[in-house]
Amino acid sequence: MLKERVDLGKKIIFLASAVLLLTPLASFGQAESGFQKGEREFTIVGSGSSDESLDNTSLSASFSIGQFLTDNLEVALRQEGSYIDLEDDDDWAASTRLVLDYNFGRGPLVPMVGLSFGYLYGDRTEEQFIAGPEVGLKYFVNAMTFIYGLVEYQFLFEDVDDVDEVYDDGRFVYGIGLGLTF
């Protein structure tokens, strides 16, 4: 019962934080967006956590750099990395992926869908290929700056022959970050 109360408390804190962080977005107005062939995009996400004495720290970051091949189709290189510092040990892991995304429409909200393919590596990470679909939403706060959310489904495999067998055993990866077009 105590665990259920703690879980409920965490959910309430998460929702309240999300509302407080997202409320200022309403004041930005309706920024018009629209990608153009040849335009570039840069995105960044970061997160971290530590226990109460600032030990057992976990840090992660992700960034991507992309270019629009058409007004809607973007190719990007995405790099993610994480570092975990435990009391007796530390560990790092990373992934590098090539991404192809299709961005729908113009306006302040731009949905997107895409595919990614890359490689996962690290200290204690089993090095292997990763691939899968992704969906996201970009909210433009002005003509060049947006806040975005992204959900990826990644399946891991060592050989292309394994793809049919491992697709159902993948993982979800979530991110909320900032982006710039230039």
Side-chain angles (χ1 to χ4, degrees):
M1 175 133 170
L2 180 60
K3 182 178 177 359
E4 292 172 0
R5 286 185 184 172
V6 169
D7 289 343
L8 179 61
K10 287 180 182 178
K11 288 178 185 177
I12 290 171
I13 290 171
F14 174 77
L15 289 174
S17 298
V19 168
L20 289 173
L21 290 172
L22 295 176
T23 299
L25 293 180
S27 66
F28 280 104
Q30 299 295 315
E32 191 63 32
S33 70
F35 300 107
Q36 296 178 1
K37 180 180 177 180
E39 192 170 46
R40 292 191 177 106
E41 176 182 277
F42 175 77
T43 64
I44 189 162
V45 175
S47 66
S49 67
S50 295
D51 64 16
E52 71 283 350
S53 59
L54 298 178
D55 292 324
N56 299 315
T57 299
S58 171
L59 302 170
S60 67
S62 170
F63 71 90
S64 71
I65 185 79
Q67 177 144 0
F68 281 83
L69 304 174
T70 70
D71 289 352
N72 300 93
L73 190 62
E74 175 188 16
V75 63
L77 181 67
R78 187 174 298 141
Q79 180 67 47
E80 293 183 2
S82 62
Y83 174 77
I84 300 172
D85 180 25
L86 302 173
E87 287 183 27
D88 298 332
D89 207 1
D90 62 352
D91 189 18
W92 69 272
S95 69
T96 304
R97 297 186 310 286
L98 188 61
V99 179
L100 186 65
D101 285 334
Y102 188 86
N103 295 264
F104 294 90
R106 303 175 83 77
L109 289 174
V110 178
M112 58 179 243
V113 297
L115 298 170
S116 70
F117 177 81
Y119 200 68
L120 179 66
Y121 50 95
D123 270 347
R124 295 186 198 142
T125 302
E126 181 180 344
E127 295 189 8
Q128 54 194 324
F129 293 103
I130 55 176
E134 61 185 31
V135 296
L137 184 65
K138 298 174 182 175
Y139 177 77
F140 279 81
V141 295
N142 63 40
M144 295 177 52
T145 309
F146 59 89
I147 297 169
Y148 77 100
L150 183 68
V151 177
E152 298 179 62
Y153 181 76
Q154 299 176 341
F155 54 96
L156 309 144
F157 57 99
E158 293 181 20
D159 191 314
V160 174
D161 296 335
D162 299 336
V163 171
D164 288 341
E165 299 169 14
V166 300
Y167 186 79
D168 292 335
D169 297 325
R171 65 184 185 172
F172 286 96
V173 177
Y174 311 97
I176 296 176
L178 295 174
L180 299 169
T181 60
F182 55 98

